[in-house]
């Protein structure tokens, strides 16, 4: 059951990315490119996605997930170096290629060699990240 | 142009409904980098199969839809070195920050999480600077 609903959620997420144009790296770069031909689409996608999510967060109050367990508690709200540094590194790569993790998987079947190189290097970065994090924390 | 923002809003709605299902039914936050990254680095524990199912859906449905709506393209640059560097930055950065556009952006900000807002400000800011540097100044993408 958990797998089935995870599969449905993943599928809808991918369909939404395709429909909204967020698997098109030009549209993402267009949003970030304030000195070029600026494309506001990403703001509409974020807005469209946050509305159902905000309602969902409201529904979680005083309830438990349908398949059991507990809802994820709000994490520690401390803003640390890893959050800021990680987001800067992520943003730099996001601008450079115009892809983030979700769309890179959703567009894999039609992303050609570039899409494959992106996923492989992203997975490599994800694999190396825990080592980098422990180095940073020790420093 | 008008059609593009309507499609953006509709597609965004689908993404939000996906996140709502994952939250209300499975009790999980729909963050792509956490789902993929924890499977990669082996920290997903007893959630591994659930996360692999999520990734399978994320890959399969757009693939099927792209056959139906006609050929698609992600229009990524031809510069494979730039792509490889970008992939590493995205992989390392999202894991260090514990989230990306879906986790911090959509799920975090919609529950008014300070960390979600801070992350989003920094990755959009860095993305804008990255475009200025790599597109307008260096011309590599």
């Amino acid at each position: 059951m958990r797998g089935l609903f995870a599969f449905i959620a993943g599928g809808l997420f991918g369909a939404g990315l395709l429909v909204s144009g967020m698997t098109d790296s030009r549209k993402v770069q267009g949003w970030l490119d304030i000195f070029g031909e600026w494309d506001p689409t990403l703001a509409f996608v974020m807005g469209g996605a946050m509305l159902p999510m905000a309602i969902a967060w409201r529904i979680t109050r005083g309830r438990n997930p349908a398949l059991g367990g507990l809802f994820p508690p709000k994490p520690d709200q401390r803003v640390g170096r890893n959050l800021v540094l990680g987001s800067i590194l992520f943003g730099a790569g996001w601008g450079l290629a115009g892809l983030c993790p979700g769309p890179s998987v959703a567009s894999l079947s039609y992303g050609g060699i570039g899409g494959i190189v992106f996923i492989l290097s992203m997975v490599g970065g994800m694999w190396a990240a825990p080592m980098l994090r422990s180095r940073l924390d020790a420093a | 142009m008008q059609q593009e923002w309507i499609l953006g809003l509709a597609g965004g709605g689908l993404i939000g409904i996906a996140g709502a299902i994952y939250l209300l039914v499975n009790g999980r936050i729909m963050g792509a980098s956490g789902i993929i990254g924890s499977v990669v680095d082996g920290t997903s524990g007893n959630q591994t199969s659930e996360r692999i199912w999520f990734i399978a859906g994320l890959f399969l449905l757009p693939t099927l839809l792209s056959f139906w709506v006609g050929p698609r393209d992600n229009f990524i640059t031809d510069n494979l070195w730039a792509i490889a560097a970008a992939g590493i930055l995205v992989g390392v950065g999202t894991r260090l920050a514990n989230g990306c556009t879906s986790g911090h952006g959509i799920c975090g900000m919609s529950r008014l999480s300070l960390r979600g807002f801070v992350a989003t400000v920094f990755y959009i800011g860095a993305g804008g600077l990255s475009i200025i540097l790599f597109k307008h100044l260096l011309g590599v993408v």
Side-chain angles (χ1 to χ4, degrees):
Chain A
M1 264 324 243
R2 302 193 69 87
L4 175 67
F5 280 95
F7 183 77
I8 292 171
L12 283 176
F13 180 31
L17 289 169
L18 183 81
V19 168
S20 62
M22 291 297 107
T23 59
D24 179 344
S25 64
R26 291 175 312 181
K27 290 195 81 65
V28 174
Q29 289 177 325
W31 154 261
L32 294 169
D33 191 3
I34 46 174
F35 293 114
E37 216 172 296
W38 190 65
D39 184 338
T41 309
L42 192 137
F44 288 99
V45 181
M46 286 293 255
M50 281 171 62
L51 185 68
M53 269 317 290
I55 296 169
W57 281 118
R58 194 156 268 264
I59 295 172
T60 62
R61 286 184 197 167
R63 291 190 180 83
N64 288 324
L67 293 178
L70 295 168
F71 284 117
K74 211 167 181 172
D76 184 357
Q77 285 297 298
R78 238 176 322 183
V79 173
R81 180 201 56 203
N82 286 351
L83 180 77
V84 172
L85 178 63
S87 295
I88 290 173
L89 295 177
F90 162 45
W94 191 40
L96 185 54
L99 284 180
C100 49
S104 72
V105 175
S107 66
L108 186 58
S109 64
Y110 53 84
I113 183 81
I116 294 167
V117 169
F118 183 88
I119 288 247
L120 290 177
S121 46
M122 180 181 80
V123 164
M126 286 175 162
W127 177 78
M131 280 171 275
L132 187 73
R133 181 196 287 262
S134 55
R135 285 258 171 125
L136 280 172
D137 289 344
Chain B
M1 193 63 234
Q2 200 180 14
Q3 200 205 355
E4 291 187 8
W5 70 256
I6 294 171
L7 285 175
L9 214 51
L14 280 175
I15 297 168
I17 291 167
I21 291 173
Y22 204 49
L23 179 68
L24 295 174
V25 178
N26 290 48
R28 309 283 182 216
I29 289 176
M30 189 186 76
S33 62
I35 293 170
I36 301 165
S38 64
V39 171
V40 169
D41 69 17
T43 53
S44 51
N46 62 3
Q47 291 175 39
T48 307
S49 77
E50 182 179 332
R51 292 182 178 191
I52 289 173
W53 278 111
F54 183 92
I55 298 166
L58 176 58
F59 169 73
L60 276 174
L61 202 61
T63 300
L64 293 174
L65 281 175
S66 72
F67 285 122
W68 180 52
V69 295
R72 296 275 124 178
D73 196 335
N74 67 0
F75 297 103
I76 198 166
T77 170
D78 295 327
N79 185 339
L80 291 181
W81 290 107
I83 294 175
I88 293 169
L89 284 168
V90 169
V92 168
T94 53
R95 292 303 278 157
L96 210 54
N98 263 330
C100 57
T101 342
S102 48
H104 277 315
I106 295 166
C107 298
M109 291 200 296
S110 65
R111 80 191 299 199
L112 304 178
S113 156
L114 174 66
R115 284 169 55 85
F117 283 100
V118 171
T120 303
V121 165
F122 278 99
Y123 66 67
I124 288 182
L129 290 175
S130 173
I131 289 278
I132 293 174
L133 179 65
F134 294 112
K135 185 179 170 190
H136 295 300
L137 297 177
L138 298 174
V140 292
V141 290

